[in-house]
Amino acid sequence: MFFKKTSHRIFDYTPRFYKPEEDKDEKLKRKLGFRRQMKMNRKKKSPMIWLLLVIIAAYIYLKLIGIA
């Protein structure tokens, strides 16, 4: 209560001798294609699904009003 709170220290470490091309784990990740697969999954989402959902929502809205 009477003491000053200490602030958290920020950890900022840049390795001096790290070479990703020589790292075994990094080579394995590239070989298995984890990063490429994540990027491809993002691109596969189709706007057709959103268009279909909007059309269905508009149809339900018009049906409830009594126009369609």
Side-chain angles (χ1 to χ4, degrees):
M1 184 152 89
F2 297 111
F3 299 105
K4 182 180 177 183
K5 287 186 178 181
T6 59
S7 61
H8 297 286
R9 293 183 182 176
I10 298 172
F11 182 75
D12 187 23
Y13 173 72
T14 54
R16 289 185 279 173
F17 303 108
Y18 177 70
K19 295 179 183 175
E21 59 272 357
E22 294 179 6
D23 189 13
K24 293 177 185 177
D25 293 334
E26 192 71 29
K27 285 182 182 179
L28 185 63
K29 286 179 188 177
R30 285 185 191 151
K31 186 177 178 181
L32 293 176
F34 286 132
R35 294 182 183 176
R36 281 183 259 129
Q37 185 179 9
M38 287 174 54
K39 289 180 182 177
M40 291 174 72
N41 286 342
R42 290 183 197 152
K43 293 179 182 178
K44 286 184 180 179
K45 293 181 182 177
S46 175
M48 292 298 290
I49 295 171
W50 291 108
L51 181 64
L52 184 65
L53 288 174
V54 169
I55 291 171
I56 290 172
Y59 178 74
I60 292 171
Y61 175 73
L62 292 175
K63 194 71 164 174
L64 289 173
I65 289 178
I67 296 175

